[in-house]
Amino acid sequence: YGKDPKAAVTLARRRVMSLLVDDAESLKASEDCIIFTGCGTESDNLAIELALASCGKRKHVITCNIEHPAVLECLKVMEKAGTIELSIVEVNDQGMVSADVIAKAIKPDQTALVTIMLANNEVGSLQPIAEIAKICREANVLLHTDAAQAVGKVSVALKDLGHPDMITIVGHKMGAPKGVAALYVRKGCLSESGRCEPRGYGSCGLALRGGGQERGRRAGTENVPYIAGLGKAAELLTKPSAEGNTQQWMCNAGHMSQLRSKLLKNLETALGEENVSVNGPADPTARLPNTLSVGLRNIHSGELLKAVSEKVAASAGSACHASGGGVSAVLKCLHVPDDFARGTLRLSVGPSTSIEEIDKASEIIVAEAKMQMDSDFI
């Protein structure tokens, strides 16, 4: 009775790996590099634990100041406990990390890991992971990238990312259910260049210790239905598009980019370009195609969202930590002016979003924003 579930997990592993490689030979050689986990936070934490456990006396870690809390908070706790030395590099006002800054932060024979997200979960800025990967490889430093927001929107192919050592993939960000994720671990990266594969890894797990699930790399009963769902979502993204010359995710990305531009144009036309400011890179191609973080001058986003919440799905920041209130930490790191930061909305479009929905959502947001402007709410 266990053959079918086992086969389903094996198939899902192959399908998830197909997000990262596109040829049969590479796929067959590296599908074992996928470890299924319960969420993106677990994948991020596991990547950090694996890097530190394999690097011996190297305890220096580098990240940036707009990382997801799954990385940033984990590292801060470790730093406070005295188990690591942490360097948090700053992004520029467009939310982008400089590869040169990463290079300067690396300490020879001390740095174990650089962990930089591929795409920011709030403003959508894309980081130069391929450049950072080259720097890390030359410095004999492991590189992890959290690609949770990026899968299905931009390329996560290993060849395009410079072959990072570890990559986090999250189910509900790409069409699979909440509660399932994966961590890609490059074959041999934990045991090469003076590193030593952590004790227990490959037998009873590391962050979670117990049975021999996931080839002994992550203990705990596999959530087979959700893992199968993650695999199916990956298959749907990598299947040929209707045009036949691209994968489906590329077609989706083009559609979402057009709708995002339409949404921004609607807001600028109705409220005035001087009252609308995009957070993140000025170049639209340097942001995720589905994400629009936009500040509305002298608008109170919290009050606006309350008014439109039954009609438009939107937030003032990332859904992962949008309940904290006030201006988000990411916007503060980008030095967004207060009159725009307080009125920031995070709007997302999807592959099935229509132009009619964009126009309707724009009308609802604009109507409420104009009511605030007319009443001098701020």
Side-chain angles (χ1 to χ4, degrees):
Y1 292 102
K3 290 182 179 179
D4 288 346
K6 184 177 181 180
V9 172
T10 298
L11 177 59
R13 205 182 306 278
R14 184 177 305 123
R15 286 172 167 173
V16 171
M17 193 63 213
S18 70
L19 293 166
L20 308 181
V21 297
D22 57 9
D23 64 280
E25 185 175 346
S26 297
L27 183 59
K28 184 176 181 180
S30 46
E31 63 184 57
D32 287 350
C33 296
I34 297 296
I35 304 172
F36 290 118
T37 65
C39 60
T41 296
E42 183 189 345
S43 290
D44 286 345
N45 278 224
L46 178 57
I48 293 167
E49 294 278 3
L50 286 172
L52 291 169
S54 67
C55 285
K57 294 182 179 180
R58 292 189 179 207
K59 299 299 179 184
H60 179 233
V61 180
I62 300 169
T63 191
C64 82
N65 58 347
I66 63 168
E67 279 301 305
H68 192 279
V71 168
L72 205 50
E73 295 304 316
C74 175
L75 293 175
K76 286 180 179 178
V77 168
M78 288 181 166
E79 181 189 35
K80 190 172 182 179
T83 56
I84 67 167
E85 179 188 356
L86 179 61
S87 293
I88 302 176
V89 302
E90 295 184 358
V91 296
N92 62 21
D93 288 353
Q94 296 191 45
M96 301 180 72
V97 174
S98 165
D100 289 338
V101 171
I102 296 293
K104 291 176 182 176
I106 290 176
K107 299 181 178 182
D109 300 322
Q110 295 182 51
T111 304
L113 173 70
V114 171
T115 174
I116 300 289
M117 57 173 33
L118 176 53
N120 181 260
N121 49 307
E122 191 166 326
V123 298
S125 51
L126 299 171
Q127 307 300 350
I129 295 301
E131 293 179 56
I132 295 171
K134 184 175 185 294
I135 290 167
C136 289
R137 196 66 43 81
E138 292 174 350
N140 189 24
V141 172
L142 290 170
L143 172 64
H144 164 252
T145 185
D146 183 337
Q149 296 289 335
V151 175
K153 292 101 175 175
V154 297
S155 175
V156 292
L158 295 176
K159 62 183 181 182
D160 294 331
L161 300 183
H163 295 271
D165 298 295
M166 293 178 280
I167 302 174
T168 291
I169 297 170
V170 177
H172 68 277
K173 303 296 185 182
M174 51 179 279
K178 283 188 174 183
V180 65
L183 178 67
Y184 161 81
V185 181
R186 183 174 63 82
K187 189 171 292 185
C189 73
L190 301 178
S191 57
E192 66 188 17
S193 303
R195 290 183 284 269
C196 183
E197 194 167 275
R199 182 178 300 176
Y201 184 72
S203 58
C204 64
L206 183 67
L208 295 177
R209 293 184 172 87
Q213 294 90 348
E214 289 302 285
R215 295 171 173 80
R217 298 171 299 178
R218 189 267 189 185
T221 302
E222 296 99 331
N223 188 346
V224 175
Y226 279 34
I227 289 172
L230 178 58
K232 186 63 178 179
E235 181 195 30
L236 293 174
L237 290 174
T238 55
K239 72 177 184 179
S241 65
E243 291 78 8
N245 58 346
T246 60
Q247 292 185 336
Q248 184 59 45
W249 75 262
M250 298 179 188
C251 183
N252 293 348
H255 171 72
M256 291 186 289
S257 179
Q258 290 178 355
L259 293 185
R260 181 192 63 179
S261 297
K262 170 70 171 170
L263 177 57
L264 176 60
K265 187 64 177 177
N266 286 357
L267 296 176
E268 290 177 334
T269 300
L271 299 174
E273 291 186 14
E274 71 280 4
N275 294 317
V276 179
S277 179
V278 174
N279 302 315
D283 178 3
T285 64
R287 305 194 305 267
L288 288 173
N290 69 313
T291 302
L292 178 64
S293 174
V294 60
L296 308 181
R297 188 195 297 271
N298 292 332
I299 295 298
H300 191 288
S301 61
E303 294 301 317
L304 188 151
L305 290 169
K306 286 180 185 178
V308 307
S309 62
E310 297 300 318
K311 301 173 184 177
V312 179
S315 67
S318 168
C320 302
H321 45 95
S323 59
V327 175
S328 79
V330 170
L331 296 184
K332 290 179 180 178
C333 289
L334 270 61
H335 306 111
V336 175
D338 193 56
D339 54 344
F340 283 108
R342 288 181 297 173
T344 286
L345 301 177
R346 180 182 181 267
L347 305 168
S348 298
V349 299
S352 62
T353 305
S354 67
I355 291 180
E356 292 75 20
E357 289 172 322
I358 292 295
D359 288 339
K360 184 62 176 178
S362 302
E363 290 175 8
I364 294 169
I365 292 170
V366 166
E368 179 59 29
K370 285 185 173 180
M371 284 183 63
Q372 285 195 25
M373 289 176 175
D374 292 343
S375 63
D376 294 324
F377 186 89
I378 299 295

